[in-house]
Structure formats: structure tokens, C-alpha cells
Amino acid sequence: MTWDPSDGRIHAALPACQTHRRGYQVGMTRWHIAGIAAGVVVVIIIVSLGVVTWLHLRHVAQIEQDLDVDMGPAFHEDSVQTLPETARRYLLHSIAEGTPLYGSVRLEQKGAMKLKPDRPHAELTADERLTPLVGFLWRARSRVGGLPVSVTDHYLDDDGAVRVAVLGAMPVVNQKGDDVTRSSRGRLAAESLWCPTALVGRENVRWEAVDDGHVRLVQSVDGEDVAVTLAVDDQGRLTEIVMQRW
């Protein structure tokens, strides 16, 4: 504040530092609001991924429970007496006399797969619960770009789906629908040969003669007949399967 004797007036001005301070405070307030908003968005995303993952794991657990079936009676040669010769030869080679007719099998696998055609193979380990004529649950674990990746593929009750997730929680592939379901039904029919005990004495299984070295296996899965042609050698060993895959 100054006094000018020439005009008798008192002149006053706010210090410049106060103006700068106010601008700084306004800027900091905006940054605080933006930071809080970003934090809220991150929390929402994390919670949403957690809920989605929990629902998926619960669904997978229910599928595995539904695939658990009781075993049937012991296998005897008379059980396949009326089947075509090639089918009999295959089943007698695959199933030992007196073996319980298990309806389900659990498989452990090691191998490699491509998530996309133009990508290199990634090593994986997997386990599968397979119940012929009912469904399957396949779970694989791998690493892509150094990050853990999980893959879940299933079919049950006329519903098939494939899910790929990074870090166990971030889904990058989630395929389902009629085409995926029909394709999964074909996979179930082909992989049923890993549990031949489930194909004996079943009303929805039909064996059709082709020739001395081939037999057609037709399985009725949720109302659709899925045919697989087996090539069987003289000793009953399976050498090839052929099918039309959707």
C-alpha cells in the first residue's frame, strides 16, 4: 500500500504470490478429483473381474460335479456278443474281462497349442474330466509372453463354451453359442474312445459295420447323432478315427 501526495490517493495491490497460490490450489484440486475418479474406476474394474472370476469358478465346479457318474457292472465278453465283428474286436482289446464299466475318466495331458494360427506354440499342462454321452471339462494352463494363461473348454447339457483368461481373471476369449456347442459335441463324441467302458450296453450308442477294418460308432448326444468311423487292426487296436467336425 502506497500514498501519492500529488493526488492524495492511496494505492493498494494484492501480492502476486497470492494469485499464483490460488491458481496452484485450483490445479491441485482438479488433479485430486481426477485421481479419485481414476481410483474408483480401477476399484470397479477389479471388483467386476473378481465377481466374473468367482461366477466362472463356481460354474466350473458345478460342471465337474455333474460329470461325476456311477460305474456300471463288470465287463464280460458276452456284453458285446451281438455287435459287429470289428466293434467286438476293438472293445475286447480295449477292456479287460471283469473291468468295471466306468462311465467317466480323468485325463492328465502335456503338450503345446496355438492360441492363434500366426502365433508360435505355447507349452501347456491340462486335465480333463470326460464323461462320454454327457459332457467334458478341459482345463489347461500355459504362459504367453511371460504371463500365465488359463483355458477352459466344456460341454454339458447342450451347452459348450471356451474361455481364455490372462492372470486367471482377465478373459480375452469367451466363445459360446450354437456353433461352439455343436463343435464341442463333436469333440465329446471323438474323445469318448478314451473311455470305452462307457460305450458298452448303452441305448444311445450304436455300432454299424463298415468292413473288416472299419466300424462306425454313432452316439446320440442331447438329441443329435454324432458319427465317428474307427479304423481297427487285426488285433483290435485303434489306428485312426474319421468324423465330420462342425
Side-chain angles (χ1 to χ4, degrees), residues 95-115:
I95 309 172
E97 182 77 11
T99 299
L101 294 178
Y102 296 103
S104 180
V105 65
R106 185 180 295 277
L107 306 168
E108 295 183 355
Q109 304 164 340
K110 290 184 179 180
M113 70 177 297
K114 289 185 176 182
L115 296 180

Side-chain angles (χ1 to χ4, degrees), residues 45-114:
I45 293 175
I46 293 175
V47 171
S48 299
L49 288 174
V51 171
V52 169
T53 302
W54 177 76
L55 291 173
H56 171 70
L57 293 176
R58 188 175 72 166
H59 181 52
V60 167
Q62 184 62 52
I63 292 173
E64 186 165 20
Q65 181 178 339
D66 293 341
L67 292 176
D68 188 14
V69 297
D70 296 332
M71 70 178 68
F75 174 77
H76 297 290
E77 184 175 351
D78 294 343
S79 306
V80 297
Q81 196 66 34
T82 60
L83 298 183
E85 172 58 29
T86 308
R88 291 183 64 255
R89 192 164 69 245
Y90 161 69
L91 291 171
L92 291 174
H93 173 81
S94 303
I95 309 172
E97 182 77 11
T99 299
L101 294 178
Y102 296 103
S104 180
V105 65
R106 185 180 295 277
L107 306 168
E108 295 183 355
Q109 304 164 340
K110 290 184 179 180
M113 70 177 297
K114 289 185 176 182

Side-chain angles (χ1 to χ4, degrees), residues 168-185:
M170 298 175 59
V172 294
V173 174
N174 195 6
Q175 296 182 344
K176 53 186 176 180
D178 293 341
D179 288 340
V180 175
T181 295
R182 193 171 184 184
S183 177
S184 298
R185 194 180 296 126

Side-chain angles (χ1 to χ4, degrees), residues 196-207:
T197 51
L199 303 175
V200 177
R202 306 293 291 271
E203 293 182 358
N204 44 355
V205 173
R206 188 170 72 251
W207 297 89

